[in-house]
Amino acid sequence: NIDENVKKQFLKGAEIAYEQIITSFAKGDKKALKVLLSKSLYNEFSDVIDNRKKQELKYETTFIGLKSSKILEFKKIENIYKVSVNFVSEIITCVKNKNNQVIEGNPDTIKTTTDVWKFSKNMWSQDPTWYLVETSNK
């Protein structure tokens, strides 16, 4: 079954992308994000990063690991694959202000986070990348 293979390969890549996107977003690394996000989502992420800079906020995120990843929906609409994935991960995250005081989160606590992310890919495209098109927290 070709779809089963596509799914397996996809999930491997999605797990790597998940960690990359979370850590790049925390660091404010737009270049790394640009190649993994759809245009509209990139613009959203980019605005958030710019606002943080303006407010002189520092996001510290340590990715501990992925507990599970599961494909919730895998569909093909004409030549576009759309896949929803449920990620459960462990992350340490906090926000510090310009005086290095923690104003959000906790640098000493591992938090379990559940995210549902939607990826998309054009089957006919030469570009092998699955782009993240939507994120939501369950």
Side-chain angles (χ1 to χ4, degrees):
N1 185 340
I2 183 159
D3 274 0
E4 281 314 303
N5 264 343
V6 172
K7 283 181 194 177
K8 270 204 197 91
Q9 283 300 108
F10 163 75
L11 205 52
K12 242 192 234 141
E15 290 174 359
I16 296 165
Y18 178 74
E19 180 175 352
Q20 274 179 337
I21 290 167
I22 283 180
T23 50
S24 300
F25 182 55
K27 283 197 299 243
D29 183 347
K30 290 186 186 180
K31 235 213 240 80
L33 290 170
K34 195 163 195 158
V35 295
L36 296 166
L37 307 181
S38 69
K39 252 193 198 73
S40 61
L41 196 61
Y42 172 76
N43 291 335
E44 278 176 46
F45 276 42
S46 183
D47 287 346
V48 174
I49 290 169
D50 291 343
N51 283 335
R52 273 189 222 155
K53 275 209 182 95
K54 269 194 209 103
Q55 296 166 33
E56 298 183 57
L57 298 177
K58 198 161 97 215
Y59 277 60
E60 290 182 0
T61 298
T62 306
F63 192 87
I64 305 297
L66 208 52
K67 288 177 87 163
S68 70
S69 64
K70 181 168 102 234
I71 292 177
L72 302 178
E73 189 180 46
F74 192 95
K75 58 183 185 206
K76 201 160 81 184
I77 302 160
E78 287 168 0
N79 60 337
I80 305 287
Y81 280 119
K82 283 192 187 307
V83 190
S84 294
V85 184
N86 185 2
F87 293 103
V88 180
S89 62
E90 291 186 319
I91 293 174
I92 298 172
T93 177
C94 73
V95 183
K96 292 180 176 175
N97 64 16
K98 61 173 187 242
N99 305 321
N100 236 15
Q101 291 163 306
V102 175
I103 54 169
E104 209 182 290
N106 186 332
D108 305 312
T109 308
I110 295 177
K111 222 173 51 168
T112 300
T113 310
T114 302
D115 290 302
V116 176
W117 284 15
K118 287 191 174 138
F119 295 88
S120 171
K121 174 183 195 275
N122 186 327
M123 289 169 59
W124 306 122
S125 170
Q126 289 300 303
D127 181 356
T129 308
W130 288 83
Y131 291 98
L132 179 63
V133 291
E134 199 184 304
T135 64
S136 63
N137 296 72
K138 259 280 152 47

